[in-house]
Amino acid sequence: MQEFPFDELDDLYQKIILDHYRNARNKTNLAHPDIEYDEFNPICGDQVVLQIKLNAGRIAVAGFHGEGCAISQASASMLTDMLEGKTLEGAKGLAEGFRDMMYGRSPEGGDLAALGDLQALKAVRRFPVRIKCALLASIALEEGIEQFLTERSK
Ligand code: ZN
């Protein structure tokens, strides 16, 4: 693991991030996912493969696998934990709200609570080079949904 460079982070945020890194939720390789997207961050060699199984238009299961720095893997764990039961539209809204927070904008509707544990990653904003690490899983989510919708409309 890469060193966790955030000694000055708020203790609570650091605890949440490290907990998701060490005890990652939904870290699995799903068989026959409806959506799968492999996203890579060359800056620190992070990889997240995000997978989703749908049922009646909603996300039934979300999982990920990959490797990389604590931020990228914790973020994938936090994000996949928020997806079950959401429509693809809802999942996109979550990714957009998260990106807004990471870039210092208020999410649409100003609803930070809707981001769940992802809120802890706002501490990473102070390290601009690591923002891509934090966003990696949500980029995979948005690209994966885009790919799924494009293929379906063919
Ligand atoms: Zn990283």
Side-chain angles (χ1 to χ4, degrees), residues 1 13 19 21 28 34 43-45 61 63 66 85 115 119 122-123 130 135:
M1 133 182 208
Y13 290 152
D19 178 55
Y21 176 61
T28 175
D34 296 295
I43 295 168
C44 54
V61 194
L115 298 176
Q119 288 176 85
K122 71 179 162 208
R130 308 303 294 276
L135 287 175

Side-chain angles (χ1 to χ4, degrees), residues 5-7 15 19 24 37 51 54 56 68 95 97 107 116 121 128 130 137 143:
F6 305 122
D7 293 342
K15 238 171 110 179
D19 178 55
Y37 202 89
Q51 298 176 311
L54 296 168
L121 290 166
R130 308 303 294 276
E143 295 290 334

Side-chain angles (χ1 to χ4, degrees), residues 36-151:
E36 179 172 80
Y37 202 89
D38 186 343
E39 183 71 16
F40 183 69
N41 172 19
I43 295 168
C44 54
D46 306 324
Q47 184 198 27
V48 168
V49 180
L50 192 99
Q51 298 176 311
I52 285 172
K53 280 171 101 88
L54 296 168
N55 185 16
R58 287 182 185 270
I59 295 173
V61 194
F64 79 99
H65 54 278
E67 52 189 359
C69 71
I71 298 295
S72 68
Q73 303 302 304
S75 166
S77 168
M78 292 167 175
L79 182 73
T80 50
D81 231 15
M82 305 286 299
L83 292 177
E84 199 184 304
K86 281 194 165 46
T87 61
L88 294 183
E89 216 37 60
K92 267 161 73 172
L94 175 68
E96 280 159 18
F98 176 47
R99 187 173 53 228
D100 283 347
M101 182 194 79
M102 290 310 295
Y103 285 114
R105 301 185 291 259
S106 292
E108 195 148 332
D111 191 6
L112 271 181
L115 298 176
D117 283 355
L118 286 167
Q119 288 176 85
L121 290 166
K122 71 179 162 208
V124 177
R125 287 196 312 221
R126 286 163 52 206
F127 308 86
V129 72
R130 308 303 294 276
I131 288 178
K132 178 79 197 274
C133 305
L135 287 175
L136 196 67
S138 72
I139 294 169
L141 173 66
E142 290 184 286
E143 295 290 334
I145 291 173
E146 211 48 54
Q147 175 183 277
F148 173 79
L149 295 176
T150 307
E151 275 169 22

